[in-house]
């Protein structure tokens, strides 16, 4: 049984539990033969609703059940179209016969139910209980009619209508009770059918989009690789300064476009569930060196300090997806450099948990950039999201990097988050469980007894460097002071000399 039909079954059972007294009161008439027939019809239809039938069959079965239990001549399901008008969706007669051709019914009764949202039961069209409605019913040579609204979250989606010819006795209050209860099940089933269709359409649309993005990304990469390759060859030629400048612009633009194409391809693979992780042995120091080598020049061009402190208890011989880890760190560092105009960017690595064969590492990329407002900290991880759309024009980027990084971390079993103070900077962190390589022993603190009890002065313009070096010195038993420039350092030395 599919999930959608299981929902139908559960909804049916819940309906019977709530309305059991009402339904049984109408179904059990005191006539053994009639009671046996009614209960048999009810159970057969419930079984059909909960079985693996298609949407059209479920709807027909529900209408047949209502016709049988109310002993009506006809049952008509009318649903609202896009303009809000009622149109016949299913029309069935006694014995489950499809009514062909144009189906006539009391439009006045259906309109009354649609406008009021309440059921109408005309026991006898000649009784005068509903003068105008009764006349319209009698004109169709009908004696008795019931019509009830079908509601989806308090919104009317249609009506259920049953009637009988002049030869038949009128519907009773018990018939109306059963009819209204069963119409609730019709509404539930129609709701589930619409939700299932919407889900199928959404999945098909998402799959088509992902396939299109993947195909387009591959198609774009081929000519772009040619552009990048030819540009590299041109730069090896003897060019005039003006020509070299133009070729550099081409190369820079091509690199940016290639990065965007790669991001789009990753997004399409993630959404399609086709992005596979690999597990290989690697040295964490190599990964961090690759990242800093790749981005240090860009940081230097902006006058930024790029530092990468690794705490002493962090194991470096690991097993996991080194390529994806490198991609995540590079992405975060590139963003930090992009949105920082002065100060520094740091990659701090620490160990949250450690045992003999695995470790949970924490990576934090911190900058002194523009910061992020609190109300945007969640949306920055949404695809194509930007804190400020003007940033994409000023700094470039399509808002894909952070969502990709978060997805990659989650695929590797970790989690990612961010902290920020507007105007002071941001810190993007992620934790990652990794296997340690066999023979990678737990780190042992170095015994530097010669430094114990000594005093040290750390002088560095970088706050992160000072914190890291001070932490390292203190772990060796040194008392430590900090200074950010030579003037502060000389002042501290003079003060220490006079103690």
């Amino acid at each position: 049984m599919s999930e959608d039909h299981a929902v139908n079954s559960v909804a049916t059972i819940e309906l019977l539990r709530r309305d059991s007294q009402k339904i049984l009161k109408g179904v059990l008439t005191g006539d053994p033969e009639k009671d046996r027939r009614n209960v048999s019809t009810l159970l057969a239809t419930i079984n059909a609703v909960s079985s693996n039938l298609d949407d059209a069959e479920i709807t027909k079965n529900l209408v047949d059940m209502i016709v049988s239990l109310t002993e009506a001549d006809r049952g008509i399901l009318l649903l609202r179209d896009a303009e809000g008008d009622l149109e016949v969706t299913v029309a069935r007669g006694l014995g489950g016969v499809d009514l062909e051709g144009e189906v006539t019914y009391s439009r006045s009764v259906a309109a009354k139910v649609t406008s009021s949202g309440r059921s109408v039961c005309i026991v006898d069209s000649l009784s005068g209980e509903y003068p105008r409605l009764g006349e319209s019913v009698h004109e169709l040579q009908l004696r008795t009619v019931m019509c009830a609204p079908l509601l989806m979250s308090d919104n009317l989606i249609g009506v259920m209508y049953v009637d009988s010819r002049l030869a038949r006795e009128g519907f009773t209050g018990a018939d109306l009770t059963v009819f209204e209860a069963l119409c609730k099940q019709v509404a539930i089933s129609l709701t589930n059918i619409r939700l299932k269709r919407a889900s199928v359409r959404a999945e098909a649309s998402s799959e088509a989009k992902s396939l299109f993005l993947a195909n387009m990304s591959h198609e774009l990469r081929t000519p772009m690789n040619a552009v990048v390759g030819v540009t590299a060859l041109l730069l090896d030629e003897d060019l005039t300064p003006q020509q070299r400048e133009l070729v550099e612009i081409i190369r820079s633009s091509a690199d940016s476009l290639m990065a965007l194409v790669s991001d789009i391809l990753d997004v399409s693979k993630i959404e399609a569930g086709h992005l596979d992780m690999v597990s290989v042995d690697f040295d964490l120091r190599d990964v961090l060196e690759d990242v800093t080598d790749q981005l240090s020049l860009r940081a230097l061009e902006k006058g930024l300090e790029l530092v990468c402190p690794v705490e002493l208890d962090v194991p470096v011989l690991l097993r996991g997806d080194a390529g994806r880890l490198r991609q995540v760190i590079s992405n975060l560092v590139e963003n930090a450099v992009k949105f920082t105009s002065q100060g520094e960017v740091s990659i701090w690595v620490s160990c949250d948990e450690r045992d003999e064969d695995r470790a949970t590492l924490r990576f934090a990329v911190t900058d002194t950039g523009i910061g992020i407002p609190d109300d945007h900290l969640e949306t920055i991880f949404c695809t194509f999201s930007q804190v400020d759309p003007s940033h994409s024009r000023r700094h470039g980027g399509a808002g894909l990097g952070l969502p990709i990084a978060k997805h990659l971390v989650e695929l590797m079993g970790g989690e990612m988050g961010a902290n920020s103070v507007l105007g002071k900077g941001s810190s993007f962190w992620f934790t990652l469980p990794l296997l340690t390589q066999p023979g990678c022993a737990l780190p042992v603190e170095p015994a530097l007894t010669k430094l114990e009890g000594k005093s040290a002065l750390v002088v560095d313009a970088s706050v992160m460097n000072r914190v890291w070096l001070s932490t390292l010195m203190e772990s060796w038993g040194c008392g430590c002071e900090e200074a950010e420039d030579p003037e502060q350092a000389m002042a501290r030395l003079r003060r220490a000399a006079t103690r």
Side-chain angles (χ1 to χ4, degrees), residues 238-252:
D238 186 17
L239 304 176
T240 65
Q242 184 179 9
Q243 291 171 333
R244 184 167 296 278
E245 181 181 359
L246 294 174
V247 175
E248 287 285 1
I249 292 174
I250 295 173
R251 184 181 67 172
S252 175

Side-chain angles (χ1 to χ4, degrees), residues 277-291 314-327 329 349 359 361 363 412 430 432-438 440:
M277 298 289 111
V278 299
S279 184
V280 297
D281 289 344
F282 68 94
D283 191 322
L284 180 60
R285 292 168 295 191
D286 294 337
V287 172
L288 296 174
E289 285 176 10
D290 288 346
V291 173
V314 173
V316 294
L317 299 179
L318 303 167
R319 177 173 292 170
D321 197 326
R324 294 301 180 183
L325 175 59
R326 184 183 295 108
Q327 181 180 352
I329 300 174
V349 187
L361 303 187
F363 299 81
M412 290 187 285
F430 65 95
L432 201 60
L434 293 163
L435 294 174
T436 55
Q437 295 178 29
C440 181

Side-chain angles (χ1 to χ4, degrees), residues 41 45-46 48-49 55-79 88-99 103 150 159-163 179 182-183 185-187 189-190 193:
T41 301
T45 307
I46 290 170
V49 169
D55 299 342
E57 288 299 318
I58 289 175
T59 308
K60 287 181 180 179
N61 281 335
L62 288 167
V63 175
D64 287 344
M65 175 177 66
I66 290 174
V67 170
S68 178
L69 290 176
T70 58
E71 295 185 344
D73 290 340
R74 303 185 305 166
I76 303 172
L77 173 64
L78 300 110
L79 298 180
V88 176
T89 304
V90 176
R92 305 277 281 181
L94 281 172
V97 177
D98 273 320
L99 302 181
V103 178
L150 301 176
V159 298
M160 187 69 214
Y161 171 100
V162 293
D163 62 26
F179 180 64
L182 295 176
C183 284
Q185 175 59 38
V186 173
S189 297
L190 290 173
I193 289 170

Side-chain angles (χ1 to χ4, degrees), residues 354-382:
R354 175 74 196 274
D355 57 30
E356 291 184 357
D357 61 351
R358 64 183 63 247
T360 300
L361 303 187
R362 175 178 292 270
F363 299 81
V365 177
T366 304
D367 63 61
T368 56
I370 59 178
I372 302 168
D374 290 341
D375 57 344
H376 285 79
L377 280 176
E378 290 299 324
T379 60
I380 56 174
F381 292 110
C382 298

